[in-house]
């Protein structure tokens, strides 16, 4: 008889989920899926099969640990991306600065995120980002 391998979220996936839950003040995998613009049924798949590499990268990017040496999560940590859907954060400074948590995503913003994911070309995304950064810069100058 052949033994079946138990699937599901790895301990690394669970650790990353806990860091993300604390950083963004969310309470579940479903809330993470919503934050990333995915459906709750997608979250169920993640629970059963583990987090895909692309989702792990998105999470780490949101946490600011990818390519941002000024972020508290990356100051004493190092990212190691390994095959087989494994992403590890190593080091003794694996803490999150909670002063920068995002507000909850409302239905309108969620719809915009889903439309961007489904229909926006890379060029459109870059143009939108550039415009929003200009608004941000203007707002910061007028404070």
């Amino acid at each position: 008889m052949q033994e079946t391998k138990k699937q599901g979220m790895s301990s690394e996936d669970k650790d990353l989920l806990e860091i993300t839950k604390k950083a963004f003040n969310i309470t579940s995998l479903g809330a993470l899926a919503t934050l990333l613009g995915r459906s709750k049924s997608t979250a169920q798949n993640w629970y059963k099969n583990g987090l895909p590499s692309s989702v792990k990268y998105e999470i780490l990017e949101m946490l600011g640990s990818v390519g941002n040496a000024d972020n508290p999560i990356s100051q004493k940590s190092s990212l190691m991306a390994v095959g087989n859907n494994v992403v590890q954060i190593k080091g003794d400074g694996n803490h999150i600065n909670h002063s920068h948590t995002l507000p909850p995503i409302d239905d309108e913003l969620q719809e915009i995120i889903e439309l961007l994911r489904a229909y926006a070309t890379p060029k459109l995304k870059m143009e939108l980002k550039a415009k929003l950064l200009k608004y941000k810069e203007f707002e910061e100058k007028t404070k």
Side-chain angles (χ1 to χ4, degrees):
M1 188 186 303
Q2 191 176 19
E3 187 177 323
T4 58
K5 185 178 176 184
K6 183 181 176 188
Q7 293 187 358
M9 291 183 67
S10 66
S11 61
E12 291 87 6
D13 289 351
K14 291 175 184 174
D15 290 345
L16 186 57
L17 176 61
E18 287 306 311
I19 291 169
T20 307
K21 285 165 61 175
K22 289 176 185 173
F24 295 102
N25 198 26
I26 57 175
T27 59
S28 68
L29 194 55
L32 173 61
T34 300
L35 183 67
L36 294 173
R38 309 296 205 299
S39 68
K40 290 189 179 183
S41 63
T42 298
Q44 292 169 351
N45 289 334
W46 294 343
Y47 183 78
K48 291 176 190 172
N49 303 316
L51 295 172
S53 298
S54 59
V55 170
K56 292 177 189 180
Y57 187 84
E58 269 185 85
I59 292 168
L60 292 170
E61 204 171 38
M62 284 177 20
L63 291 170
S65 62
V66 177
N68 184 356
D70 296 329
N71 191 286
I73 194 172
S74 61
Q75 287 176 353
K76 293 183 181 177
S77 305
S78 62
L79 266 185
M80 177 186 291
V82 184
N84 297 327
N85 292 329
V86 175
V87 176
Q88 296 177 339
I89 302 172
K90 292 185 172 185
D92 60 355
N94 296 331
H95 64 281
I96 303 295
N97 182 347
H98 295 283
S99 64
H100 299 291
T101 58
L102 295 175
I105 296 177
D106 61 23
D107 290 339
E108 186 176 24
L109 186 54
Q110 181 63 37
E111 182 180 13
I112 292 169
I113 291 168
E114 289 171 10
L115 288 169
L116 285 170
R117 286 190 186 279
Y119 303 110
T121 63
K123 182 180 178 184
L124 178 63
K125 290 177 188 176
M126 287 180 7
E127 290 170 353
L128 180 59
K129 181 178 179 180
K131 286 182 182 180
L132 291 171
L133 288 172
K134 284 182 183 179
Y135 287 125
K136 178 183 176 185
E137 183 181 345
F138 176 76
E139 287 291 323
E140 288 174 351
K141 285 182 180 180
T142 58
K143 285 184 181 179

